[in-house]
């Protein structure tokens, strides 16, 4: 079997177009412009790239982008004061504090100081609890993007066997909750899982989110399974820098029914879903109907 490629870049463009369309309507019919505030502390180069990209795409869909760049020595008190100000600002519907934070700042404390209704990352403990109990929440962007692609490809996921490899709070755990919410039978696998190849071989859906280059070989993949590769790993091969996923794409594509490439798979969906979450937060804040197909 040669897998169908799930084109995340094209899908993300479609999501952004949907968001832009809804933003246009919000402005025209309600005089409201959704606003996203992104807070970056320090000068981590990868984070700077992400934040720039987020700001650019926010403006492209017609939303207001508020960037707050703080120096690496910012105190917790100052950061919390900024978040409190953003929590109380009616023009700000979404708040994202770029992670990782410098070591002297308590990430949990900072994230949990964000108003849960504005927590477009879905990292606040209230949103984690709401998702875990099947209630309306803000859903973390990367798993939401994976879910959208899976629903688009399969329609219903009900009854499917899914394995999520990786148990991070940002991807693995919320991904498992979302798949459970769509009535999959879910296994969360991790570094201590016994006989991981066999666990993966039973799965109709494989979500790989471990951050280890090409650790899932094609012969672990069941014929016809759907493979969602969340990994973005930089490696050097043949003297060149290359981006690869957590799945060995070439061998997996020979067995899978459908697979996301790296780059161009899950990656572009994350920011698209951040914009979707900002729109959702804005609609909820204003008591308006949420856009269809952009939430879990
Ligand atoms: N750093 C890497 N990924 C993310 C993300 O999804 N959200 C935030 N806030 N920081 C990140």
């Amino acid at each position: 079997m040669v897998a169908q490629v799930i084109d995340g870049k094209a899908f993300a463009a479609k999501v952004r177009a949907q968001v832009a369309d809804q933003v246009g309507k919000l402005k025209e019919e309600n005089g409201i412009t959704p606003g996203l505030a992104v807070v970056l502390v320090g000068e981590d180069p990868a984070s700077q790239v992400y934040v720039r990209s987020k700001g650019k795409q926010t403006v492209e869909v017609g939303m207001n982008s508020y960037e707050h760049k703080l120096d690496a020595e910012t105190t917790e008190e100052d950061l919390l004061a900024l978040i409190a100000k953003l929590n109380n600002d009616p023009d700000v519907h979404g708040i994202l504090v770029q992670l990782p934070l410098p070591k002297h700042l308590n990430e949990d404390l900072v994230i949990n100081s964000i108003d849960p209704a504005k927590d477009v990352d879905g990292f606040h403990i209230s949103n984690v609890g709401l998702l875990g109990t099947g209630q309306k929440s803000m859903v973390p962007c990367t798993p939401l993007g994976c879910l959208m692609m899976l629903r688009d490809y399969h329609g219903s996921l009900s009854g499917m066997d899914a394995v999520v490899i990786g148990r991070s709070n940002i991807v693995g755990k919320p991904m498992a909750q979302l798949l459970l919410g769509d009535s999959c039978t879910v296994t969360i696998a991790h570094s201590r899982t016994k006989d991981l190849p066999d666990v993966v071989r039973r799965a109709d859906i494989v979500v790989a989110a471990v951050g280890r280059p090409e650790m899932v070989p094609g012969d672990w993949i069941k014929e016809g399974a759907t493979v969602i590769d969340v990994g973005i790993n930089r490696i050097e091969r043949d003297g060149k820098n290359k981006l690869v996923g957590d799945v060995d794409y070439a061998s997996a594509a020979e067995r899978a029914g459908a697979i996301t490439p790296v780059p161009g798979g899950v990656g572009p969906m994350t920011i698209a879903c951040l914009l979707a979450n900002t729109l959702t937060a804005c609609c909820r804040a204003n008591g308006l109907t949420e856009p269809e197909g952009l939430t879990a």
Side-chain angles (χ1 to χ4, degrees):
M1 177 171 259
V2 176
Q4 178 176 326
V5 179
I6 300 178
D7 185 343
K9 200 172 159 199
F11 201 116
K14 218 168 77 180
V15 171
R16 287 196 303 272
Q18 246 178 302
V19 171
D21 184 56
Q22 295 289 328
V23 170
K25 286 193 182 125
L26 266 181
K27 286 186 189 177
E28 209 176 288
E29 293 168 16
N30 307 90
I32 300 165
T33 304
L36 172 64
V38 174
V39 181
L40 173 64
V41 187
E43 269 124 42
D44 177 63
S47 292
Q48 284 178 325
V49 172
Y50 283 130
V51 166
R52 210 173 307 132
S53 194
K54 283 168 189 168
K56 185 167 166 272
Q57 292 188 38
T58 303
V59 172
E60 276 169 5
V61 296
M63 296 182 181
N64 289 326
S65 169
Y66 308 103
E67 274 181 29
H68 296 268
K69 293 185 177 160
L70 309 180
D71 69 51
E73 282 78 44
T74 299
T75 62
E76 203 160 82
E77 192 186 358
D78 284 349
L79 180 55
L80 293 177
L82 171 62
I83 292 171
K85 202 173 106 205
L86 298 172
N87 282 342
N88 290 316
D89 185 340
D91 292 334
V92 172
H93 304 96
I95 302 170
L96 179 146
V97 177
Q98 186 67 26
L99 303 178
L101 288 171
K103 294 263 177 298
H104 67 283
L105 299 169
N106 179 336
E107 259 177 29
D108 287 336
L109 181 76
V110 170
I111 295 302
N112 289 321
S113 73
I114 298 171
D115 177 348
K118 297 188 178 189
D119 168 37
V120 282
D121 259 329
F123 295 165
H124 190 288
I125 197 71
S126 297
N127 282 316
V128 175
L130 289 167
L131 178 63
T133 49
Q135 300 180 72
K136 198 150 96 170
S137 64
M138 296 305 304
V139 177
C141 305
T142 300
L144 179 58
C146 296
L147 183 74
M148 282 185 189
M149 291 192 286
L150 284 167
R151 283 179 176 169
D152 183 69
Y153 182 73
H154 285 286
S156 168
L157 308 181
S158 181
M160 295 180 85
D161 284 317
V163 62
V164 179
I165 315 173
R167 53 177 156 179
S168 70
N169 291 335
I170 292 181
V171 183
K173 286 178 199 159
M175 186 75 247
Q177 295 289 3
L178 288 171
L179 291 166
L180 192 58
D182 271 28
S183 302
C184 290
T185 303
V186 184
T187 303
I188 306 178
H190 47 77
S191 57
R192 303 291 173 90
T193 296
K194 274 189 272 178
D195 205 358
L196 181 61
D198 254 25
V199 171
V200 177
R201 279 188 191 111
R202 285 197 291 273
D204 306 308
I205 293 170
V206 179
V207 180
V210 268
R212 287 182 52 192
E214 298 172 330
M215 74 154 280
V216 179
D219 69 356
W220 291 9
I221 303 297
K222 178 161 109 175
E223 268 306 309
T226 302
V227 178
I228 304 290
D229 191 349
V230 181
I232 301 177
N233 307 293
R234 264 165 236 284
I235 62 159
E236 205 187 297
R237 182 171 288 156
D238 305 328
K240 287 186 192 137
N241 288 324
K242 213 175 164 243
L243 278 188
V244 298
D246 292 347
V247 177
D248 176 42
Y249 184 84
S251 60
E254 285 176 13
R255 292 171 65 92
I259 187 167
T260 58
V262 178
V266 175
M269 287 297 287
T270 298
I271 298 183
C273 287
L274 172 68
L275 304 175
N277 275 350
T278 305
L279 174 64
T280 299
C282 178
C283 290
R284 287 179 186 169
N286 288 282
L288 300 168
T289 318
E290 290 169 31
E292 255 176 62
L294 296 176
T295 51

